[in-house]
């Protein structure tokens, strides 16, 4: 592979005009496609195989036109102090608001609080429920404006009015912190390279790659039913890996120049060696992201595949666009050792080189491997302790900031009707195969009333055919509580008995039940996903490193870092530590997608650092150095650039902590802290300590397996052999 990529890099360097033209044309084409594509709303949310989804599908069949999955809004009214909602003036205001809300073209129905008995016992709070034909993200802006205008009219009449539900669901924004993350990346690149031109290359190529990827996602969003979160994730990961991959190739190019090679040769060798590492690192990320499809949640699958496509683009750009731009840059990109001129730290001619920080650190670790290993493992273990208290759930209005109308409506409903009112359960009774459906409906309601934590059970509402009915159950606890989850399972257990006696199916659905089913589905999929992703990547790393113990150590180190990162997420978002600093206004369960998503993304990114750092060690070992010295050599060449790459990736991910969407905020924080743990504790401390302890055993591979594996030559040994002069193709640069 190294020889092929070497030729590919030289070709891109020579034919730079052609390469640049292709990528600019692709960017333009993707941009035009995105601009001309029809606007797309949020991705339709379905969870195949879950009971809640089966109930939704049944409702669509038996209650046609009811839009079971359509958006809902709860317009909550509170009377001024000393008044009640039943007072004539307040009642007239509410009824006028209901009339205004009913005029919308996308409105299915609006309930009158006084007819639906939706007034609290003390008479101070009431609500009207609005049901729409389409989902919250598909709702027209005009319908949302009408909803807010009606609420504002009631406020001007003297009532407190807040709006809950998903009808006002908005596309999340990340704010200025995302730009700050890119700015930090630029500063790190300038410090690393000491040159504005060299620093600008990774940023430029990453932005081109992300531009193509996100534009393609936007252009295909309507056709493939992609949501806004898909492009946000693709941009987050695409920026991080795009900058890192280009950074490694530019850094290797400068190292080749410092050895005296002419620029085209240096570009070829940089792509042949560092580019080989980029290919395999990119493959691990792609495997991890595409592997999310095993969860069988369409939204998560689409997010993973779209982000994987953006990573693939980043790899291709790093292998082609980077050497082409190096050709344009010419002598403006200096050999390594001259990097300090911009910052006034240029090395004087004939001045002996001092050991860099990476060399000094690696030498220390090699001398004290046991102490460093124990300290790293104990530190990560301590950080992982909060993960033992992990509670999973999906965000609802109760997790919104208190400044939002959705959160204030949630609190008003809890105040007036109890916390469980914000998460009603819908029980669907399919009595089509029963002899007496009406009796089944009544028995089901009575059975549910006898369960714990049930506040209200409404009478069954049958369809026109009389064979299916819905029953609304109000729990006594809030939607995200364990008690409510137990109630859902209790109703389903009772339904199993009813099924045995009457042959009627009892299904529980609604947003609360759907959230519970999603969490359980994700938990069940975590172990198979880990086995698949880690297993495939383990095989890939055996091919790369031609070793059994190095890939095993890489996988175990990843598990340490991801558990520590989950512990940090629990501490901040569930326990509330440093929540003010992170902008977390409301603590609660960790998003149920977070563990499996973090496993996928962090594993891919962790393997980046493993491949980039350890291939340098492997290269030194293959070329005759002793194992301990190979570790030091790997750090001398790779520690600075891996550190820069990690800081850049952390800055990009941390930029998304400023998002208004709690899911994006949590993902940004989780990935940033995971990169910190993995790059600076696992790869920079635990990895060299383990390799120092293992010595030559680290690179052991059974002879039969060595013969069976393909030789991908990531270290570039074929390039040394082909040169015929021990890698000394020197020229004036």
């Amino acid at each position: 592979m190294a020889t092929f990529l070497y030729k590919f890099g030289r070709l891109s360097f020579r034919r730079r005009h052609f390469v640049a033209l292709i990528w600019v044309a692709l960017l333009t084409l993707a941009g035009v496609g995105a601009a001309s594509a029809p606007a797309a709303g949020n991705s339709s949310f379905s969870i195949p195989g879950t009971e809640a989804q089966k109930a939704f599908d049944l409702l669509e069949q038996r209650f046609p036109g009811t839009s079971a999955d359509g958006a809902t809004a709860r317009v909550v009214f509170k009377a001024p102090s000393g008044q009640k909602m039943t007072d004539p003036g307040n009642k007239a205001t509410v009824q006028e608001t209901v009339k205004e809300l009913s005029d919308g073209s996308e409105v299915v129905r609006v309930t009158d609080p006084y007819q639906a008995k939706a007034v609290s016992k003390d008479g101070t709070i009431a609500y009207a429920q609005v049901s729409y034909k389409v989902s919250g993200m598909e709702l027209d802006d005009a319908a949302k404006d009408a909803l807010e205008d009606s609420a504002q009219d009631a406020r001007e009449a003297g009532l407190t009015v807040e709006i809950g539900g998903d009808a006002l669901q908005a596309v999340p924004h990340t704010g200025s912190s995302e730009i700050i993350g890119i700015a930090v990346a630029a500063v790190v690149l300038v410090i690393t390279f000491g040159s504005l031109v060299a620093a600008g290359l990774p940023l430029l190529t990453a932005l081109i790659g992300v531009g193509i990827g996100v534009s393609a996602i936007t252009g295909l969003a309507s056709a493939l039913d992609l949501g806004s979160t898909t492009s946000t994730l693709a941009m987050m990961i695409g920026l991080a890996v795009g900058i890192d991959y280009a950074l490694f190739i530019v850094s290797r190019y400068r190292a080749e120049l410092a050895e005296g090679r002419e620029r085209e040769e240096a570009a070829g060798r940089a792509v042949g060696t560092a580019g080989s590492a980029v290919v395999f690192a990119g493959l691990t990320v792609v495997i991890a992201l595409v592997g999310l499809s095993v969860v069988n949640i369409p939204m998560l699958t689409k997010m993973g595949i779209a982000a994987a496509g953006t990573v693939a683009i980043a790899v291709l750009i790093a292998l082609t666009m980077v050497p082409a731009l190096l050709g344009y840059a010419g002598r403006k990109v200096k050999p390594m050792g001259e990097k300090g001129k911009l910052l006034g730290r240029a090395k004087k001619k004939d001045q002996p080189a001092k050991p860099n920080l990476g060399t000094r650190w690696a030498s220390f670790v090699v001398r004290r491997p046991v102490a460093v290993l124990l300290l790293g493992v104990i530190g990560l273990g301590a950080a992982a302790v909060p993960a033992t208290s992990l509670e999973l759930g999906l965000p609802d209005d109760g997790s919104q900031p208190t400044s939002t109308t959705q959160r204030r409506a949630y609190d008003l409903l809890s105040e007036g009707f109890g916390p469980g009112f914000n998460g009603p359960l819908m029980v669907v009774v399919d009595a089509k195969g029963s002899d007496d459906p009406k009796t089944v409906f009544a028995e089901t309601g009575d059975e549910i009333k006898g369960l714990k934590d049930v506040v209200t059970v409404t009478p069954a509402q049958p369809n026109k055919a009389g064979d299916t009915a819905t029953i609304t159950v109000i729990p006594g606890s809030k939607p995200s509580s364990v008690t409510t989850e137990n109630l859902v399972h209790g109703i389903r257990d009772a339904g199993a008995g009813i099924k045995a006696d009457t042959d009627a199916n009892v299904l529980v659905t609604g947003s609360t039940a759907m959230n519970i089913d999603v969490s359980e589905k994700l938990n069940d999929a975590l172990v198979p996903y880990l086995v698949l992703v880690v297993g495939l990547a383990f095989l890939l790393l055996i091919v790369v490193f031609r070793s059994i113990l190095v890939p095993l150590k890489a996988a175990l180190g990843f598990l340490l870092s991801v558990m520590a990162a989950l512990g940090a997420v629990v501490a901040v978002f569930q326990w509330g530590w440093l929540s003010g600093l992170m902008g977390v206004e409301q603590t609660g369960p960790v998003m149920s997608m977070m563990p499996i998503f973090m496993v996928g993304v962090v594993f891919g990114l962790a393997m980046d650092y493993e491949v980039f750092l350890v291939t340098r060690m492997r290269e030194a070992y293959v070329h005759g150095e002793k194992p301990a010295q190979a570790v030091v050599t790997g750090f001398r060449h790779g520690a600075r650039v891996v550190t820069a790459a990690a800081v850049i990736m952390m800055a990009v991910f941390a930029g998304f902590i400023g998002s208004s969407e709690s899911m994006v905020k949590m993902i940004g924080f989780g990935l940033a802290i995971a990169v910190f743990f993995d790059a600076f504790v696992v790869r920079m401390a635990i990895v060299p300590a383990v390799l120092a302890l293992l010595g030559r055993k680290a690179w052991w591979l059974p002879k039969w397996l060595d013969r069976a594996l393909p030789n991908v030559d990531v270290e570039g040994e074929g390039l040394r052999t082909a040169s015929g002069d021990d890698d000394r193709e020197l020229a004036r640069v």
Side-chain angles (χ1 to χ4, degrees):
M1 175 177 285
T3 304
F4 170 76
L5 291 178
Y6 162 76
K7 295 176 180 178
F8 200 54
R10 292 193 63 166
L11 179 65
S12 298
F13 188 95
R14 287 197 307 271
R15 300 288 186 263
R16 47 188 172 272
H17 303 307
F18 180 68
V19 172
L21 182 62
I22 288 178
W23 285 112
V24 171
L26 287 174
L27 179 61
T28 304
L29 183 64
V32 171
S36 58
N42 197 30
S43 175
S44 58
F45 190 77
S46 63
I47 313 295
T50 61
E51 181 173 314
Q53 187 63 49
K54 291 177 183 176
F56 270 128
D57 296 340
L58 183 64
L59 286 172
E60 290 289 343
Q61 296 174 11
R62 305 288 174 84
F63 293 82
T66 57
S67 301
D69 58 349
T72 59
R74 279 180 170 177
V75 183
V76 188
F77 306 89
K78 183 174 183 180
S81 179
Q83 299 183 23
K84 293 189 176 183
M85 291 305 304
T86 51
D87 293 346
N90 295 334
K91 186 174 182 178
T93 300
V94 172
Q95 290 176 331
E96 180 62 28
T97 303
V98 170
K99 183 179 178 181
E100 290 179 14
L101 292 170
S102 302
D103 294 337
S105 59
E106 294 183 320
V107 174
V108 176
R109 62 184 174 276
V110 182
T111 59
D112 186 315
Y114 303 101
Q115 295 179 4
K117 299 181 180 179
V119 180
S120 62
K121 290 182 179 180
D122 62 4
T124 60
I125 297 173
Y127 74 91
Q129 181 149 319
V130 188
S131 301
Y132 294 89
K133 299 176 182 177
V134 296
S135 67
M137 291 300 290
E138 296 170 326
L139 203 60
D140 287 341
D141 290 338
K144 295 181 181 181
D145 292 340
L147 179 62
E148 292 178 321
D149 291 344
S150 298
Q152 185 58 36
D153 291 342
R155 289 189 189 104
E156 292 174 357
L159 298 177
T160 298
V161 186
E162 304 296 347
I163 305 171
D166 59 353
L168 293 183
Q169 187 177 5
V171 176
H173 61 85
T174 55
S176 60
S177 55
E178 177 189 342
I179 306 300
I180 295 174
I182 297 176
V184 171
V187 171
V188 172
L189 287 169
V190 170
I191 294 173
T192 302
F193 291 137
S195 164
L196 290 175
V197 174
L201 290 181
L203 279 177
L204 178 60
T205 54
L207 290 173
I208 291 173
V210 168
I212 294 172
V214 172
S215 296
I217 291 170
T218 304
L220 297 172
S222 179
L224 300 181
D225 193 24
L226 304 177
S228 58
T229 308
T230 303
S231 58
T232 303
L233 173 65
M235 178 168 59
M236 183 190 300
I237 296 177
L239 271 176
V241 300
I243 293 174
D244 279 5
Y245 294 165
L247 167 64
F248 282 106
I249 291 180
V250 173
S251 178
R252 186 60 184 253
Y253 170 76
R254 296 175 68 244
E256 296 293 337
L257 288 180
E259 300 227 354
R261 296 186 176 87
E262 57 93 14
R263 294 185 179 276
E264 182 179 325
E265 177 70 13
R269 287 177 176 266
V271 175
T273 51
S276 297
V278 164
V279 170
F280 283 100
L283 273 176
T284 59
V285 180
V286 169
I287 288 172
L289 290 171
V290 173
L292 290 171
S293 58
V294 303
V295 184
N296 195 27
I297 295 180
M299 182 185 73
L300 195 59
T301 299
K302 293 172 185 176
M303 289 170 62
I305 293 175
T310 307
V311 172
I313 292 172
V315 171
L316 291 174
I317 283 186
L319 299 177
T320 57
M321 189 71 167
V322 170
L325 292 180
L326 289 172
Y328 283 118
R331 296 180 182 276
K332 292 180 181 178
V333 177
K334 303 293 185 182
M336 191 171 290
E338 297 182 32
K339 60 189 174 184
K341 284 187 176 180
L342 178 67
L343 303 175
R345 299 195 313 270
K347 187 180 72 176
K348 296 179 181 179
K349 191 174 182 179
D350 300 329
Q351 179 182 353
K354 295 181 179 180
N356 60 21
L357 182 60
T359 302
R360 296 196 298 271
W361 169 249
S363 299
F364 170 78
V365 174
V366 167
R367 291 195 305 270
R368 301 285 189 273
V370 175
V372 172
L373 177 61
L374 288 177
L375 187 62
V377 171
I378 292 173
L380 290 179
V385 168
T388 58
S389 301
L390 177 67
E391 295 178 10
L392 297 178
L394 288 179
D396 55 18
D397 285 348
S399 63
Q400 296 270 12
T402 53
S403 58
T404 62
T405 185
Q406 292 95 330
R407 172 58 189 278
R408 291 196 293 264
Y410 181 97
D411 292 340
L412 284 177
L413 287 172
S414 296
E415 177 188 339
F417 302 93
F421 202 80
N422 284 290
L425 305 175
M426 180 181 289
V427 178
V428 182
V429 185
D430 178 10
K432 194 171 184 178
S434 176
D435 296 332
D436 188 0
K438 290 185 178 180
T439 302
V440 172
F441 300 154
E443 289 178 354
T444 302
D446 292 340
E447 187 78 19
I448 295 173
K449 287 177 183 177
L451 298 175
K452 292 181 180 180
D453 200 48
V454 173
V455 174
T456 304
V457 178
T458 65
Q461 301 293 321
N463 62 349
K464 290 183 179 180
D467 59 5
T468 307
T470 60
I471 300 173
T472 300
V473 180
I474 306 298
S477 305
K478 63 181 182 179
S480 58
S481 68
V482 176
T483 307
T484 300
E485 181 178 347
N486 292 336
L487 174 59
V488 170
H489 290 302
I491 295 173
R492 288 173 174 169
D493 291 341
I498 294 172
K499 168 73 172 176
D501 295 337
T502 65
D503 203 30
N505 289 318
V506 178
L507 306 173
V508 185
T509 188
S511 59
T512 301
M514 181 68 84
N515 289 350
I516 292 170
D517 286 352
V518 170
S519 298
E520 292 180 352
K521 190 177 182 70
L522 288 165
N523 285 339
D524 293 341
L526 184 58
V527 173
Y529 175 70
L530 263 174
V531 172
L532 173 68
V533 173
V534 176
L536 287 175
F538 180 76
L539 295 176
L540 186 65
L541 291 178
I542 289 178
V543 175
V544 174
F545 296 127
R546 308 194 76 79
S547 164
I548 297 292
L549 295 179
V550 170
L552 180 61
K553 172 263 308 170
L556 293 176
F558 151 73
L559 291 176
L560 271 176
S561 59
V562 80
M563 287 303 298
L566 276 176
V569 170
V570 170
V572 173
F573 290 88
Q574 187 175 310
W575 292 359
W577 294 4
L578 302 178
S579 57
L581 182 63
M582 296 295 151
V584 180
E585 295 189 24
Q586 179 65 34
T587 59
V590 172
M591 182 183 64
S592 54
M593 261 182 222
M594 193 66 191
I596 198 164
F597 186 80
M598 182 179 284
V599 164
V601 177
V602 174
F603 182 77
L605 300 179
M607 293 307 102
D608 279 4
Y609 301 119
E610 181 74 14
V611 170
F612 289 131
L613 193 59
V614 180
T615 48
R616 270 294 199 172
M617 300 177 191
R618 169 75 182 174
E619 183 178 344
Y621 178 75
V622 168
H623 293 166
E625 293 187 8
K626 293 182 178 180
Q629 184 57 39
V631 171
V632 176
T633 300
F635 267 76
R636 181 171 69 249
H637 291 294
R640 181 182 179 89
V641 71
V642 167
T643 299
V647 172
I648 288 169
M649 199 170 279
M650 288 167 56
V652 172
F653 289 148
F656 289 84
I657 296 176
S659 174
S660 62
E661 175 64 39
S662 60
M663 182 174 77
V664 175
K665 181 190 291 288
M666 190 179 294
I667 288 174
F669 172 79
L671 294 183
I673 197 69
V675 168
F676 171 78
F677 286 143
D678 196 86
F680 293 105
V681 181
V682 175
R683 308 305 153 188
M684 290 291 182
I686 294 177
V687 165
V690 171
L691 290 177
L693 289 172
L694 291 175
R696 295 186 183 277
K697 294 178 182 177
W699 309 108
W700 172 80
L701 187 69
K703 291 183 179 180
W704 64 267
L705 185 57
D706 187 39
R707 290 192 297 269
L709 291 177
N711 184 12
V712 296
D713 189 22
V714 176
E715 301 85 13
E717 181 64 24
L719 300 181
R720 292 172 60 92
T721 304
S723 67
D725 59 359
D726 193 29
D727 248 357
R728 299 184 185 279
E729 186 178 330
L730 304 180
R732 184 179 299 275
V733 294

